[in-house]
Amino acid sequence: MSAAKDYIRPIDFKRGRVDLTHGSGGRAMAQLIDELFLAAFDNDWLRQLNDQACFSVPAGRLVMATDSHVVSPLFFPGGDIGCLAVHGTVNDVAMAGAKPLYLSAGFILEEGFPLSDLKRIVESMAAAARQAGVPIVTGDTKVVEQGKGDGVFITTTGIGVVPADVRVSGDRARPGDKILLSGTLGDHGVAIMSLRENLSFGTSIASDTAALHELVAAMLAAVPDIHCLRDPTRGGLGATLNELARQSGVGMHIDEAALPIRTEVAAACEFLGLDPLYVANEGKLVAICAPEDADRLLAAMRAHPLGREAAVIGEVRADPHHFVQMTTSFGGSRIVDWLSGEQLPRIC
Amino acid sequence: MSAAKDYIRPIDFKRGRVDLTHGSGGRAMAQLIDELFLAAFDNDWLRQLNDQACFSVPAGRLVMATDSHVVSPLFFPGGDIGCLAVHGTVNDVAMAGAKPLYLSAGFILEEGFPLSDLKRIVESMAAAARQAGVPIVTGDTKVVEQGKGDGVFITTTGIGVVPADVRVSGDRARPGDKILLSGTLGDHGVAIMSLRENLSFGTSIASDTAALHELVAAMLAAVPDIHCLRDPTRGGLGATLNELARQSGVGMHIDEAALPIRTEVAAACEFLGLDPLYVANEGKLVAICAPEDADRLLAAMRAHPLGREAAVIGEVRADPHHFVQMTTSFGGSRIVDWLSGEQLPRIC
């Protein structure tokens, strides 16, 4: 990032639009960085104006996670691509049991995109980063010609530090372990799909997008030996449980009646032909722990605002096929397979 | 990243194309990760199949840098978007005097993009990462509908460790310091523009894309107190010197006759109406050091294959206006201002 202070006039964030000069490495790019990104993200690392951020870390284990965000539409009930890009990567870092430290952000802007929308998105990112306590310390901006992008794509990368006694990993689920879910399923995906389909379901359905690292910290304080954590985003709970089953070489069994789903989300899913098991969430997590730790973990989750509706939804079983099975509300049984097709494109 | 092993048939990398299921979080995405990204990048961090990579670092200073790559065309003489995405971020990390440790990669793919091209790009990234000794340890893949992207965009983020005695920063240029350039100007930008304009200049002009961290390590071994390092990418040498002049609150003076430029690049620039001072480079660096260190630094640069044509190109001067000035080959003087318009869109 760079800066030049003697601009002829300030950027017109009301009527202006992104043009190719904003990605050129010249004066217009420097001005956009100064007047938008530095102003919103506002921290000492960015103000160094180097092409990288420098910071000190203690010796130990770090994690690094990255997510590209292409959600469409860019603004939706409960959030926008900006806060989503912060939450998504903070959560990927937190799912290692790590405390997120720093974020980077790479923007790919489409020529002609309204600067007012970009400002709104960047300010939403800044607010989400401030609220999470995780500064955006370095970044990059590119501009592509009209018709070669779609408004704005944001790739965030996060690093975090793993406490010494924490060993969370997707390969640690063991037969007998309990599977916990932090709250209701499907809110994010249904909020996006309702908007796309121009549907309104009486009561409003909003994305659950949220940063989960403080919930995770509270959970680890109660149960340091959590075996697995993962946020069921794209592909929903179904994909997440299948991933964990493969990684750990186990089967899983969940109970449909135990799954927390808001009535209006269930109704919307039925109307839209979506299976809530595969709908993306952006503020929920799955945790797996030893059976003797489950009550303590559940209590810690329910004591946190983002885990109030947490539930034990099933258990890990020995299974050479690594199947995820579900007892349905009617008492039957079904396999929860990998999603085969594309249920919800560009959901995050 | 995730995996499922029981795919019905392997991906058809000859005739297949990216479709929306490759970004869905389901089986097709898991298969693409397994058969393309894991196979090419091939390292223990990716094989953990968690949504983040975990590694140990010593106590000390780290740097983090990110770059989104949108170069068009995707393949060009001397490289492609894949190796460029590795080199670009390795270089941003190295320009802090740091040793690059790990990279992440976020892919935004356009529906319909040939899987054969994607494979070629990913394998080029993998080769560049291997050659640089910097593994790609975590990543993400998103797919957008045809017409909402442009083949492939790649955002890489790197972290590196800064040696204890190194204090490279853009604000450390002091009047009297010498300005060194590691090699010829304009090769990358002219290679791309020639291709776009469908021009051939008799001799081939190829991008200089390369990872510079080993050159930097050799330079720091000779002169630990290098004041500034920066790679003159977008906006070229002109933008880089103006950035450093602002950051350090100094002026700069360079000598046109000292600038290494290949004859065919100079000719192409003249033909294309480009000023080589503003043309992007992807394998060059600017270094600023105390005058008494300049000879030693120059010798270290010339002893390295990527610095063979290094030259002292000018010096830092006191200047309250922070101007970059150049003595032209004809003995005149000109201001090298910030680039105002867009010289070369989507050059990196």
Side-chain angles (χ1 to χ4, degrees):
Chain A
M1 292 196 161
S2 58
K5 298 284 182 222
D6 53 347
Y7 310 119
I8 297 165
R9 61 184 72 82
I11 293 176
D12 181 353
F13 283 110
K14 276 205 181 127
R15 284 169 302 270
R17 289 178 180 272
V18 170
D19 65 49
L20 291 171
T21 68
H22 291 120
S24 69
R27 198 187 295 270
M29 190 174 92
Q31 186 173 11
L32 187 70
I33 289 169
D34 271 4
E35 296 180 10
L36 179 58
F37 296 105
L38 283 182
F41 297 154
D42 188 35
N43 62 61
D44 287 339
W45 298 276
L46 278 179
R47 274 190 294 267
Q48 289 168 0
L49 296 175
N50 287 320
D51 284 344
Q52 67 293 117
C54 185
F55 41 79
S56 292
V57 293
R61 285 177 301 155
L62 293 186
V63 292
M64 181 178 197
T66 197
D67 253 332
S68 293
H69 296 85
V70 300
V71 66
S72 173
L74 297 168
F75 301 94
F76 46 83
D80 55 64
I81 192 174
C83 65
L84 186 69
V86 169
H87 296 153
T89 293
V90 162
N91 291 348
D92 275 351
V93 168
M95 293 308 127
K99 175 183 159 60
L101 297 175
Y102 301 104
L103 289 175
S104 68
F107 293 83
I108 299 174
L109 309 175
E110 185 190 8
E111 180 187 20
F113 188 64
L115 287 171
S116 55
D117 284 349
L118 181 61
K119 186 163 190 272
R120 201 174 141 201
I121 288 165
V122 169
E123 287 173 350
S124 167
M125 283 187 85
R130 253 194 313 276
Q131 205 189 339
V134 187
I136 297 165
V137 296
T138 192
D140 181 52
T141 307
K142 292 292 189 318
V143 180
V144 296
E145 305 89 335
Q146 200 144 28
K148 301 293 186 182
D150 196 14
V152 55
F153 302 142
I154 306 176
T155 300
T156 44
T157 305
I159 68 164
V161 60
V162 188
D165 55 344
V166 167
R167 283 198 314 129
V168 174
S169 179
D171 60 1
R172 292 195 61 222
R174 293 290 168 269
D177 282 359
K178 295 293 181 189
I179 305 169
L180 291 81
L181 177 65
S182 67
T184 55
L185 283 181
D187 302 67
H188 176 75
V190 166
I192 300 280
M193 287 309 285
S194 304
L195 196 59
R196 278 195 210 152
E197 306 288 331
N198 207 10
L199 299 173
S200 143
F201 292 98
T203 49
S204 70
I205 297 175
S207 168
D208 58 345
T209 183
L212 295 169
H213 58 308
E214 289 172 0
L215 171 62
V216 168
M219 291 165 64
L220 285 167
V223 176
D225 191 28
I226 297 174
H227 294 173
C228 310
L229 288 171
R230 192 155 296 174
D231 50 341
T233 56
R234 265 185 298 178
L237 181 68
T240 294
L241 293 181
N242 273 285
E243 285 172 21
L244 295 171
R246 299 285 163 146
Q247 264 184 273
S248 292
V250 296
M252 301 205 176
H253 195 282
I254 59 172
D255 181 1
E256 187 172 23
L259 297 177
I261 303 184
R262 294 175 62 197
T263 315
E264 54 269 44
V265 169
C269 279
E270 208 163 298
F271 187 83
L272 291 162
L274 299 174
D275 183 338
L277 280 174
Y278 298 106
V279 175
N281 312 278
E282 294 291 342
K284 299 293 157 31
L285 62 80
V286 171
I288 296 178
C289 69
E292 62 272 21
D293 289 335
D295 287 347
R296 222 164 350 120
L297 190 57
L298 183 66
M301 291 165 80
R302 286 188 170 163
H304 190 280
L306 293 174
R308 265 197 298 263
E309 294 167 283
V312 176
I313 61 166
E315 62 177 24
V316 179
R317 295 190 179 168
D319 178 356
H321 301 294
H322 313 152
F323 283 147
V324 177
Q325 300 193 60
M326 182 168 80
T327 301
T328 67
S329 302
F330 306 106
S333 180
R334 65 172 267 210
I335 301 273
V336 179
D337 199 2
W338 289 85
L339 184 64
S340 285
E342 169 62 63
Q343 198 182 25
L344 300 173
R346 298 185 62 186
I347 206 69
C348 60
Chain B
M1 291 199 164
S2 57
K5 298 284 181 226
D6 53 347
Y7 311 118
I8 298 166
R9 63 184 71 82
I11 293 176
D12 181 354
F13 283 110
K14 276 203 182 128
R15 284 168 304 269
R17 289 179 180 271
V18 170
D19 65 48
L20 291 170
T21 67
H22 291 120
S24 68
R27 198 186 297 267
M29 190 174 92
Q31 187 174 10
L32 187 70
I33 289 169
D34 271 3
E35 296 180 9
L36 179 58
F37 296 105
L38 283 182
F41 297 154
D42 188 34
N43 61 62
D44 287 339
W45 297 277
L46 279 178
R47 274 190 295 267
Q48 289 168 1
L49 295 175
N50 287 320
D51 284 343
Q52 66 294 116
C54 185
F55 41 79
S56 292
V57 293
R61 286 176 301 155
L62 292 186
V63 292
M64 182 179 196
T66 197
D67 252 332
S68 293
H69 296 84
V70 300
V71 66
S72 174
L74 297 168
F75 302 94
F76 46 82
D80 55 63
I81 191 172
C83 65
L84 187 69
V86 169
H87 296 153
T89 293
V90 163
N91 290 348
D92 275 350
V93 168
M95 294 306 128
K99 175 183 159 59
L101 297 176
Y102 302 104
L103 290 175
S104 68
F107 293 83
I108 299 175
L109 309 175
E110 185 189 9
E111 180 187 20
F113 188 63
L115 286 171
S116 55
D117 284 349
L118 181 61
K119 186 163 190 274
R120 199 173 142 202
I121 289 165
V122 168
E123 287 174 350
S124 168
M125 282 187 87
R130 252 194 313 276
Q131 205 189 338
V134 187
I136 297 166
V137 295
T138 192
D140 181 52
T141 308
K142 293 291 190 318
V143 180
V144 297
E145 305 89 334
Q146 199 144 29
K148 301 293 187 181
D150 196 15
V152 55
F153 302 141
I154 306 176
T155 301
T156 44
T157 306
I159 67 164
V161 60
V162 188
D165 55 344
V166 167
R167 285 197 314 128
V168 174
S169 179
D171 60 2
R172 291 194 61 222
R174 293 290 169 268
D177 281 358
K178 294 294 181 188
I179 305 168
L180 291 82
L181 176 65
S182 67
T184 55
L185 284 181
D187 302 66
H188 176 75
V190 167
I192 300 280
M193 286 309 286
S194 304
L195 197 58
R196 277 195 211 153
E197 306 288 331
N198 208 10
L199 298 174
S200 142
F201 292 100
T203 49
S204 70
I205 297 174
S207 168
D208 57 345
T209 183
L212 295 168
H213 59 307
E214 289 172 0
L215 171 62
V216 168
M219 290 165 64
L220 285 167
V223 176
D225 191 28
I226 297 173
H227 293 174
C228 311
L229 289 171
R230 192 154 297 172
D231 50 340
T233 55
R234 263 186 300 178
L237 182 68
T240 294
L241 293 181
N242 272 285
E243 285 173 22
L244 294 172
R246 298 284 162 148
Q247 265 184 273
S248 292
V250 296
M252 302 206 175
H253 195 282
I254 60 173
D255 181 1
E256 188 171 22
L259 297 177
I261 304 184
R262 293 176 63 197
T263 315
E264 54 270 44
V265 169
C269 279
E270 207 164 299
F271 187 84
L272 291 163
L274 299 173
D275 183 338
L277 281 174
Y278 298 105
V279 175
N281 311 278
E282 293 290 342
K284 299 293 157 31
L285 61 80
V286 172
I288 296 178
C289 69
E292 62 272 22
D293 289 335
D295 287 347
R296 222 164 350 118
L297 190 57
L298 183 65
M301 292 167 79
R302 287 188 171 163
H304 190 279
L306 292 173
R308 266 198 299 262
E309 293 168 283
V312 176
I313 61 165
E315 62 177 26
V316 179
R317 294 189 180 171
D319 178 355
H321 302 294
H322 313 154
F323 283 146
V324 177
Q325 299 192 58
M326 182 167 80
T327 301
T328 67
S329 303
F330 306 107
S333 179
R334 64 173 267 210
I335 300 275
V336 179
D337 198 3
W338 289 85
L339 183 64
S340 285
E342 169 62 63
Q343 199 181 24
L344 299 174
R346 298 184 63 186
I347 207 70
C348 61

